[in-house]
Amino acid sequence: MKLVLTIVQDSDAGELQKTLIGHGFGVTKLASTGGFLRRGNTTFLIGVKDAEVEAVKEIVTEKCCERAELLAPGASLADLEGVYSGQVTEVIVGGATIFVMNIEEFAKV
Ligand code: 2BA
């Protein structure tokens, strides 16, 4: 068994959730915040059989788009404490960040 943890943009989350559930996958959706942009994003926890990992990755790839986010002049960069950009900065976000983890035990009690 694997846990697929995937971080996506909020605008892709609804369609992704609907498609995963439509394919019979169990999904937990969490509100999260990106450390760099400090903007909301969505994290999905999806527990699957080993053989289902590729199918989940394909759905995530299909439903999640890469987008350019603009940081306004004067926006503070989270990892550069106290440093402010003097111009509009473009940051490419997504489609999705995916972690696949081995699960030692899965139980419902
Ligand atoms: P954020 O941390 O808000 O990052 C948003 C986007 O900013 C990133 O998109 C990347 O393009 C850029 N970025 C992040 N850190 C940067 C840095 N130190 N310098 C320059 N640009 C930087 P993605 O890579 O697609 O990541 C989207 C979101 O996925 C991230 O939001 C974060 O919530 C999560 N994420 C990405 N990599 C992660 C990791 N290794 N561990 C945990 N979460 C991660």
Side-chain angles (χ1 to χ4, degrees):
M1 177 140 202
K2 306 276 190 205
L3 179 65
V4 181
L5 186 157
T6 184
I7 303 159
V8 307
Q9 295 174 68
D10 287 345
S11 36
D12 293 324
E15 191 62 27
L16 177 60
Q17 181 178 16
K18 207 165 69 181
T19 308
L20 287 168
I21 288 169
H23 281 77
F25 294 114
V27 169
T28 296
K29 183 177 160 207
L30 306 171
S32 46
T33 305
F36 185 69
L37 292 178
R38 290 188 280 197
R39 291 180 191 167
N41 54 27
T42 301
T43 299
F44 285 93
L45 307 179
I46 312 151
V48 295
K49 296 177 187 142
D50 289 17
E52 294 171 329
V53 170
E54 285 312 311
V56 168
K57 284 166 67 180
E58 275 173 31
I59 292 170
V60 173
T61 304
E62 187 191 313
K63 296 294 170 187
C64 298
C65 313
E66 189 177 273
R67 293 185 186 86
E69 289 281 334
L70 296 179
L71 288 179
S76 141
L77 299 181
D79 67 337
L80 301 172
E81 205 57 52
V83 173
Y84 293 82
S85 163
Q87 56 195 18
V88 174
T89 311
E90 189 180 86
V91 177
I92 302 296
V93 185
T97 301
I98 302 173
F99 299 90
V100 180
M101 289 171 270
N102 287 318
I103 297 303
E104 208 165 288
E105 186 181 341
F106 171 70
K108 291 183 180 180
V109 295

